[in-house]
Structures are given as structure tokens and as C-alpha cells.
Amino acid sequence: LREPGLNLRVVQLFRDPRAVHNSRLKARQALLRESIQVLRSRHRAEPRGPPRHHHHQQQQQLLLPPGLLGGGRAPQPQHRAEFFLGGALEVICQAWLRDLLLARRAPAWLRRRYTQLRYEDLVREPRAELRRLLRFAGLRVPPALETFVLNMTRGAAYSSDRPFLISARDAREAIHAWRERLSRQQVRQVEAACGEAMSLLAY
């Protein structure tokens, strides 16, 4: 970031963790290997020796599916994907929190080159957020790009049987889809594991 020959800009995208969890559950098999990699990254980053706080041990278990709490038992095959997806989301939220706290006390040279974007703000005001991002990057705003972004976020449908299919969808519906698809227990678990990051992001 401080290399004068690069002129690097960083845009960090966030999304409501409840919506992230809903999306990851929908594509659970496709994201299984990715989730395992995320969990391995936490294992590599953890300090050696006994855990410092019992609370931290409890928090690491929060996103396991029902029936997997306690006993240290391996997940049943039918819950294996959800087991890894839940643990990976918690690692992601912990990484978000570190980034958010770092950005709050960032020096001026970092603040000039780093900005945050919430998915929900982009969906609600796509043209305004696009203009902000391009100004931040020092780029012009082509009219065709504004039209494209508006069309991609105002499609007629939302859901797709192919989770990684890129198509025009009703992205405003995607903001609240988790409310209909997650159980109350799942919502509580995500909020417990990701609460600090959610608070800083005003979710």
C-alpha cells in the first residue's frame, strides 16, 4: 500500500453474516473444500498451548448444526457440510472484526487507500455507490456501466438452482432472504458468533 509505483486501492466488501450463512448453506457442497481451507487457516494462526479463555472455546462451537454440540464428536455425514460451513463463517467474522478494528485506528496513508462497502448499500443505491467507488479509485463513470449495474440488481427473479450463475436478479430481495430461510436457532448462532463485527457494520 505504501509502494509509490503501485497506487494501490483496496475496497473491502461486507455482507450481513446472516445472509452470508444462508447463501453458504444453499451452496454447501460447492463450498465444502473452501470452508475446510478457511478452518485450516485458523488452525495455523492459533497460538500453541492451552486456550486462554473458556468462552472462546464455547464460541468456536456456536455455528455447529443441532445435535453436534458437546462431546467433541465428529459430525455425522449428513451434517458434515454444515459443520464446516458454520465453522468457516465464524473464522470469516473474526477476520472481519480484526480488519474493522485495524481500519478504525489506521494511519492517514491507509485511510486514503482503503474503503469499505456494504453489499446492502450497493444493492439499495447501486449508481450512487458505484460513483463513490470509482471516485475513490480515480476512475471515470461510464454511463454503460451505471446501466449494467442497475440492470443486474433489478432483475425479475432472485433464486437460482445454480448458486454461482451470474445473471440479473432482484438483489433487494436477496437482502432479506435469510429471514425466510434460516431457523431462529441459526440466526441466534450467527449473531452470537459475529455480533461484534455486525455491530461495527451497523447490522
Side-chain angles (χ1 to χ4, degrees), residues 12 14 89-101:
Q12 187 165 11
F14 295 95
L89 179 65
E90 187 176 348
V91 176
I92 291 168
C93 283
Q94 290 169 355
W96 284 5
L97 182 59
R98 288 193 298 271
D99 292 341
L100 290 164
L101 294 175

Side-chain angles (χ1 to χ4, degrees), residues 98-197:
R98 288 193 298 271
D99 292 341
L100 290 164
L101 294 175
L102 174 65
R104 282 195 160 195
R105 55 178 183 267
W109 62 264
L110 177 58
R111 288 197 300 270
R112 288 192 300 267
R113 295 179 176 273
Y114 169 86
T115 192
Q116 297 169 353
L117 171 65
R118 297 195 325 167
Y119 167 84
E120 293 77 9
D121 297 331
L122 179 64
V123 164
R124 290 189 182 104
E125 299 291 340
R127 283 182 289 198
E129 286 298 319
L130 177 65
R131 289 170 186 163
R132 179 179 74 84
L133 291 175
L134 291 175
R135 280 197 307 269
F136 166 74
L139 301 171
R140 66 184 183 88
V141 186
L145 186 56
E146 283 197 337
T147 301
F148 173 77
V149 169
L150 196 62
N151 289 341
M152 289 298 285
T153 57
R154 297 294 185 271
Y158 159 61
S159 187
S160 170
D161 293 332
R162 297 166 59 190
F164 298 107
L165 176 68
I166 305 301
S167 62
R169 302 187 194 176
D170 185 354
R172 288 169 295 186
E173 185 179 336
I175 294 176
H176 300 300
W178 62 268
R179 297 175 184 269
E180 298 178 3
R181 295 187 171 100
L182 294 183
S183 69
R184 288 184 180 182
Q185 181 184 13
Q186 287 172 319
V187 171
R188 285 195 298 265
Q189 289 172 340
V190 173
E191 290 173 349
C194 301
E196 290 181 85

Side-chain angles (χ1 to χ4, degrees), residues 36-102:
I36 293 172
Q37 286 295 108
V38 171
L39 286 167
R40 284 175 176 165
S41 73
R42 175 171 66 180
H43 178 71
R44 288 194 298 269
E46 283 179 347
R48 299 196 181 277
R52 288 172 295 178
H53 300 293
H54 179 63
H55 171 70
H56 181 63
Q57 283 183 305
Q58 287 180 322
Q59 200 175 37
Q60 289 188 2
Q61 302 293 322
L62 280 172
L63 290 178
L64 302 186
L68 294 182
L69 296 175
R73 296 187 301 275
Q76 296 298 315
Q78 66 269 26
H79 291 308
R80 184 169 176 261
E82 190 170 345
F83 177 88
F84 289 121
L85 288 171
L89 179 65
E90 187 176 348
V91 176
I92 291 168
C93 283
Q94 290 169 355
W96 284 5
L97 182 59
R98 288 193 298 271
D99 292 341
L100 290 164
L101 294 175
L102 174 65

